[in-house]
Structures are given as C-alpha cells and as structure tokens.
Amino acid sequence: LLCAVPAASQNDAPSDALADVQRAANGGPLHSASDAPSAPWTQQIELRAADPCVLLLNATGAHGCATRNDGTIAPLLPLFEQADIDTLVASAVPSKALMVAIEEELFTPKAVEDLETHLGDRLVGMAVLSHGPAEAASTATAKAAAAAVPESQPVPVAAAVASVRPDAGAAQRLLSMRRFKYGVVLLEGDEVEAARRLLRRRGAQAAPLLELKFPMSARGNASSCLSSRTCLPLGGHSVWGALQPRTAHATPPERSKPSVTLAASLDAASPFHEHAPGAVASVASVVAVLAAVAAVADDDGMLAQMHALSATPLFALFTAEAWGQAGSRRFVKDVVEFNCSDAPVAKPEAVDGGGDGSGGGDSGDGVDSSAGALRNTSGDLPQLPRCSSPAFDDIRFASLGGGAARSVLVVDSVGMRDAQLHVHTRAGDESNPVASALFAAASSSETTLSTETRLPNALSATVVASLPPGPATSFADSAAVAALSSTTQPHAPLAGSTFDTRATLDAGRVCVAATVAARAWWSLAGGTGAPSANCSLVEALLACMLDETLCGLAVQLGVRSSLASHYTSVYIPYATELTPTVAFVQRWLKLKLRQGCNASAACAPTVALHRAFSPAIALDEQTGTWSVLDASDDSVWAESYWPEGMHATLWPFQPSNLETALLFAFAVANAVAAAATVHVCRRGGRRSWSSFRIE
C-alpha cells in the first residue's frame, strides 16, 4: 500500500491484464508469485487506446468534452442495459462523485440528459464501451447472434448491422454538438473487455476507479480561442485535379475551357476523434470517385480523346464538409474572389509535383515523403504559377474563375445495403444536364457490369428536389449541380457516428455508383464510350480506407498511420503535414494518373491540394493571427489544442475503509516522528544537524 507500483510498460500484453481481472472477477487471489510479470496490471491499467471526446468551439461557445486541468478520478458504475440507467435515475442521488461506464448503443442524448439531470455535479466522467467495428449491436441481439455460432467465432456482420438502432447516427450527431462538463472516452478491444470484467465483480470495494485527464486549452468561443492562439480552425486540405496531365504545352485546367467536376466529401465526423469511420458518409463516395477516375485513366481509347473534349474533366475531394461545408465553400470562395496583387511568379517544383494554396506540402505526420513510387519525374516542365500576396504556392485553381465550372456531379452517401441510388437536384432544376446524364448512365450500367454486381433498378426514377449538405450546396449558385446518393434524406442514417462502418456497405452498390458517376462525368465532358468501374479495385480501396490494419497499398504510398478513422483535422498555416486520409488519396491519384504520361519526363499528373477551413475565418499573413469575419456562419469551427500528459487509467480496486484509516494513522505517526527527530537534532547543535544533511 505504501510503495508506488510502476505503470504497465508498452510491452505488457493485454492478455495479462485480462487474466488478472478475470481472477479478480471470479473472487480468486489477484495474482500469485508465478504471476509476477503481470503484477503491474493488477494495480493500474493504462488505457492507452482510450479515445477522448475533444473540445470544439464555434461562434456560440464550446462543444464536446474536457476534464479539469489536474484530471478527475472516481468510482466507475456500470450501465450495461437500459434497466441499469432507469434504476440509477430512480435511486437517491449519491453523496460522492462517480463516473459511469455505458454501452455504446445506450450512449444517446436522452440517456446523457437523464443522467446529468439526476446526478448533477456528482457525474464527473463517462466511459463508452464499444463493441468494435464488426459488432455494433444491442445487447439482446448480440447475445442471440452469438448463441448461434461457436464462442470463438465473431458475431455475424449482418446480425450486428441489423441490430443498430435506426436513429443511432442522428443521436451521435447531436452528441457531437453537446457540451459535456466532464471527460468522456471511448474504450475498445482488450481494454474495454478488461473494464467489462472488472465492472461485473460484486462485493465491497468491487467498483474500479477511473482516472481521466483530458484538459483542453481553449476557452470561450471560436473567435476568442483563435485570438488567444489556443485553438485552430477545423479543416486541413482538400484534393483536386484534372484527368489531363500537365505538360510542356499545357497546364490544366485551361481558363478558356469549361469544366465538369466529379466531387465528394473526404472526411467524416463522430463524437470521438479516432472513431470516425464514415463508411457511407464519405469513404464509399471517395472510393466511387477514385474508381471513376481509374475507369477513364485505364482506357487508352478515352485518354486519346482528352484534347478533343468540350470540357475539362476535374475531380475534387473536399475536407471539413461535416462542419458547414467548410472545404468546398473555401474552394468556391477562393476561385470566385481570388485576386493576386502581384504578378504571378514561378514556383520550384515540389517533390510530388504541386502544393496546396498556402505553402503546404504532403510530407509530415503519418506520411513518408520519400516513397519511391512518387518521386518527381517532371523533367523540363514549366514551373507552377504562384502568388505572394495573398500567399499561394499554386494558383491553378484561379483558372476556374469566370464561370468556367459548368457542371458539378457530387457522389454523396452511396453504397448503403439494400438501397437504390437517388438523384438530387435543386427544386425546379430537376431536368438539368447533370441529372439527365446520370439517368442516361444508369440506364446502361446494368448491361455491362459483372453478374455479381449487376443490381436491378439501380437508380430510382424519381428526382429528389433538394440537395444534400456538402459540395452540392456549395456549387449550386455557380454551376449546374446534381448529387448521387443512396438516401433521400440530407444524411445517411448512421452518418456522423461510430456505427458508420464497413459492415454497413455493399461494395457492389459502390461499384455501380462509381460506374454511373464515371459515365455521366465522361459524357458531360464530351467524351465517347462507356467507362466501367473495376469492382475488385473498389473492394481493395474500401478495405484500405476502412480496415484497422494498414494495407499494402498505403504502405507503398508512404502512409504510416491507420486509415480507419477519417475525422476532420485542423488547418495549420504553412505546415507540411497531411492527414493519412488526404495523403493516401492524393498519392493514389498521382500514381494512377501518371500512367497517362506514357513515361514522358516532361509530364506530371494534375493533382493539387487546396487549403480547407471556414470561408468566414481569415488569416493575417503578416502576424499569423486569425479573425472571424462572420460569427453567424455555421462553418466557423475550431478545435482546442491538446495539452501534454493526457491519459486515462483504470484502477481495479478502491482502498477499503481500514486501509484508508491505516494510511492516515501511518501518515500522522510519520509526521510526529519527523518532528521529534528535527527537535532532537536541533538540540544537539549545528554539528549534529549537519550529520543528517544529504550531501
């Protein structure tokens, strides 16, 4: 009791922790002499994979979670079923602070409100217990599914997906907007299993203690924290480009030629930073765009038509769309309002051939910039145009001004199981050329896809007279726009939640959406032929962007971090860092489109980055300070800085009353003994005191 026990090291196996807590749960001794290697786990379990809800700020104030600066520790009370919540809120208010461990499917706005109303300031933390990406199911359904298979086998995916509540996505989207006055973390894997086993114990001092230390630096609202430099705008970088490569004779896009853009949202949202899979909300749409690009780029006959097209086929994947369409609105604003006050000057070629709109490269966190497959081979290409005021390292986007963006086709929330595709347009614009091209493309798609991916009635014949939030609404005032989606609603049912996983997707339907989009896009550009998506490529890209394990392709492209979460990042001026999601997509596009150069040294793929943050936020380039131009704009969002030393720790046992009394008595006795020693030493004179001094 009196000696500090070291924390578990990085090499301690989670199975040791589970073995220890299993013994404790069964009422046996915590560990014997033979269990010495795992002894540290019995004193504390460092929850290294705990994923915190973070503090976000908009114009009205703070949203999300944070603990006190010194953290909080309290007993952890299990809420495994709705009946546990009902019992707690019907009981007397506890006299001491506590935290609750709540199953992921019970983590809803109503449950949180009921707990906060009843417990008040006694509620000081919350741990959300995840079932993992393949088993986001209610307790009853999970038990029923597990009973049908051997215990060692996982619960079937279909059973797990079917059990997710239809309103789970909407519930977690609301929770993302809520202000919690305490810390909230998501636990998964071996750590959540250890917590569950500890929480199932019965008897005195059975409740474990949970310590949360996740203070956040920002205070007030987005405007005040940006001014005090304790936060950064939500965003990062969008990826855009053209099918036509840059050569010694042309730098697409050409100002004199209209463009047809195939677009999608690149990232996702969730209450938890590292658990934003966004399978339907964004990943399926991104994969559909990539597969559509590949369908044209892999066809030599279509590449041969490139110079004769009536419009330039562009692609764009926008960041921070879940936060007021910040990425696409920033892009549109920069295109429309860009005015370089100095003569455009040449910029030395970047390693990967093109930077963003503000000096960012593509190396940094989670990305290996030395990837051999992507080294520059641009030879004698003319250098990219840039502007020093305002500072842009690459102003190719300016060529899209003056009405050059003729048509925009947005792929939005495709691939849902058992769902038709729907065409969305603005009310009164149901027969615009983009919508017409989509219907024409869908009418031919079923006859050319393989039997495995041929879907009857792939596209609904009814147009939805409203645009989903995202790139479609951002371009609606400047181009003919239509969106392709698996839902008639503004959001997919599980969008914005931890439940929007790969298990919710039908890869065949993603492939159909990619084919429909590719054909409509190519037709709008004036091309002939019917490109078809490679369904094997679709499967591989979905696996790369949604599985926990880093895929071989990502490693080849120099991406070092997992692609399993696509949470929106922050925009850091002049930084060279990209999120793994942005880096993977940008590098994949460059690798795919490089084949259009036919090994020519004087040729480079047209793939660029563009800054992504709210168009209602401005950066003073001289001082590096931020300002909010329009506090009422719903894209004004910022994320707090994360201080050092944040952690979550689970303590399996609370000290008993006897232990507490003994510790207090020992402390008093120790203080009395120390005082007596000092008194005796002083009476012995200065020489005697010196003999006790530590040299």
Side-chain angles (χ1 to χ4, degrees):
L1 289 174
L2 303 178
C3 299
V5 179
S9 70
Q10 292 282 358
N11 296 324
D12 285 329
S15 59
D16 292 339
L18 297 184
D20 285 340
V21 297
Q22 183 64 66
R23 279 190 290 273
N26 293 334
L30 201 56
H31 58 271
S32 63
S34 62
D35 299 320
S38 64
W41 282 98
T42 65
Q43 305 300 323
Q44 66 184 72
I45 302 173
E46 291 187 20
L47 303 174
R48 295 187 180 90
D51 187 12
C53 156
V54 300
L55 193 67
L56 303 177
L57 303 98
N58 65 0
T60 61
H63 305 258
C65 316
T67 66
R68 302 181 316 188
N69 288 338
D70 57 349
T72 307
I73 185 168
L76 188 62
L77 182 69
L79 301 175
F80 292 139
E81 300 177 354
Q82 181 60 45
D84 296 332
I85 300 176
D86 296 339
T87 299
L88 177 59
V89 299
S91 63
V93 178
S95 59
K96 296 182 179 180
L98 59 82
M99 298 187 188
V100 297
I102 186 169
E103 292 290 350
E104 189 175 14
E105 64 270 16
L106 300 178
F107 182 54
T108 64
K110 184 180 186 307
V112 172
E113 183 176 348
D114 288 346
L115 292 170
E116 290 183 348
T117 300
H118 179 67
L119 298 174
D121 59 6
R122 297 290 190 270
L123 181 61
V124 296
M126 190 174 293
V128 179
L129 309 179
S130 171
H131 287 283
E135 190 188 342
S138 67
T139 302
T141 307
K143 287 180 179 178
V149 295
E151 186 174 347
S152 60
Q153 299 297 316
V155 175
V157 168
V161 173
S163 66
V164 176
R165 292 169 40 159
D167 62 346
Q172 288 201 4
R173 286 196 297 273
L174 289 174
L175 288 171
S176 295
M177 299 294 106
R178 187 184 182 92
R179 176 68 172 104
F180 295 83
K181 297 181 179 180
Y182 45 83
V184 181
V185 295
L186 182 74
L187 305 182
E188 66 172 354
D190 288 331
E191 293 179 356
V192 75
E193 189 59 29
R196 282 196 179 101
R197 293 183 183 182
L198 285 171
L199 290 165
R200 291 190 183 106
R201 295 181 310 188
R202 296 292 184 267
Q205 287 80 48
L209 296 172
L210 179 62
E211 179 186 8
L212 298 178
K213 187 177 181 182
F214 294 98
M216 297 288 166
S217 304
R219 298 290 184 272
N221 56 27
S223 180
S224 61
C225 75
L226 286 169
S227 297
S228 62
R229 302 190 182 189
T230 56
C231 65
L232 284 170
L234 283 183
H237 295 86
S238 298
V239 181
W240 73 283
L243 286 180
Q244 184 179 352
R246 185 163 64 98
T247 66
H249 307 290
T251 299
E254 300 174 31
R255 186 178 293 273
S256 60
K257 182 182 284 190
S259 64
V260 178
T261 303
L262 182 62
S265 299
L266 184 55
D267 51 7
S270 161
F272 302 100
H273 218 280
E274 301 304 319
H275 290 79
V280 172
S282 61
V283 172
S285 303
V286 169
V287 168
V289 169
L290 298 183
V293 169
V296 176
D298 290 339
D299 190 307
D300 292 338
M302 294 180 189
L303 290 180
Q305 303 175 43
M306 203 66 68
H307 294 287
L309 296 176
S310 59
T312 301
L314 303 179
F315 50 83
L317 300 166
F318 295 109
T319 287
E321 292 303 287
W323 306 97
Q325 299 86 56
S328 57
R329 288 180 57 200
R330 166 57 62 183
F331 187 81
V332 171
K333 178 183 175 71
D334 287 345
V335 166
V336 172
E337 299 182 3
F338 178 74
N339 181 25
C340 186
S341 62
D342 62 345
V345 295
K347 167 189 176 293
E349 184 69 34
V351 171
D352 274 357
D356 70 350
S358 58
D362 75 344
S363 61
D365 186 34
V367 183
D368 181 3
S369 61
S370 64
L374 294 169
R375 287 176 184 154
N376 181 39
T377 58
S378 55
D380 300 325
L381 279 175
Q383 295 175 327
L384 292 174
R386 61 168 296 180
C387 180
S388 60
S389 181
F392 281 91
D393 282 348
D394 180 356
I395 60 172
R396 283 178 288 180
F397 68 88
S399 298
L400 300 175
R406 183 173 70 186
S407 305
V408 177
L409 194 171
V410 176
V411 184
D412 180 271
S413 300
V414 298
M416 288 172 53
R417 292 179 179 273
D418 304 319
Q420 278 188 309
L421 290 171
H422 301 271
V423 174
H424 293 245
T425 69
R426 287 200 300 184
D429 195 28
E430 291 85 353
S431 60
N432 76 44
V434 184
S436 299
L438 283 169
F439 282 111
S443 66
S444 63
S445 64
E446 295 177 37
T447 61
T448 55
L449 293 180
S450 65
T451 303
E452 291 77 11
T453 58
R454 187 182 302 142
L455 300 175
N457 304 316
L459 187 64
S460 170
T462 304
V463 175
V464 181
S466 64
L467 291 172
T473 57
S474 299
F475 283 92
D477 292 333
S478 58
V481 177
L484 189 65
S485 175
S486 291
T487 177
T488 59
Q489 302 302 310
H491 301 282
L494 298 178
S497 77
T498 57
F499 299 108
D500 189 10
T501 66
R502 188 182 179 190
T504 66
L505 285 177
D506 182 329
R509 292 182 183 271
V510 178
C511 190
V512 168
T515 297
V516 172
R519 294 183 179 185
W521 181 43
W522 186 242
S523 172
L524 288 165
T528 60
S532 293
N534 181 332
C535 295
S536 296
L537 173 64
V538 168
E539 287 268 15
L541 289 173
L542 288 174
C544 261
M545 297 190 70
L546 289 170
D547 289 355
E548 291 288 340
T549 305
L550 197 61
C551 68
L553 177 58
V555 174
Q556 176 192 354
L557 295 176
V559 178
R560 299 191 302 266
S561 300
S562 172
L563 292 166
S565 180
H566 304 281
Y567 194 92
T568 302
S569 184
V570 293
Y571 179 74
I572 305 175
Y574 314 114
T576 59
E577 297 181 358
L578 295 180
T579 66
T581 302
V582 173
F584 175 80
V585 168
Q586 183 213 30
R587 289 171 169 233
W588 186 91
L589 284 165
K590 287 186 175 183
L591 193 62
K592 172 57 63 177
L593 295 177
R594 184 156 291 163
Q595 64 195 37
C597 288
N598 295 319
S600 171
C603 178
T606 303
V607 181
L609 301 173
H610 196 84
R611 60 183 188 173
F613 60 89
S614 169
I617 296 177
L619 173 66
D620 186 319
E621 297 171 359
Q622 301 299 319
T623 63
T625 57
W626 296 96
S627 60
V628 175
L629 305 177
D630 181 2
S632 65
D633 194 299
D634 64 356
S635 67
V636 176
W637 282 95
E639 181 176 320
S640 172
Y641 282 126
W642 295 32
E644 295 288 339
M646 299 194 302
H647 64 269
T649 304
L650 190 63
W651 303 83
F653 290 94
Q654 299 181 52
S656 66
N657 292 334
L658 176 60
E659 290 170 336
T660 303
L662 288 173
L663 283 171
F664 180 76
F666 179 84
V668 171
N670 190 52
V672 171
T677 301
V678 170
H679 178 71
V680 170
C681 291
R682 283 179 173 172
R683 290 193 62 182
R686 180 169 181 171
R687 185 172 182 178
S688 298
W689 173 257
S690 299
S691 65
F692 284 86
R693 188 174 58 195
I694 299 175
E695 298 294 343

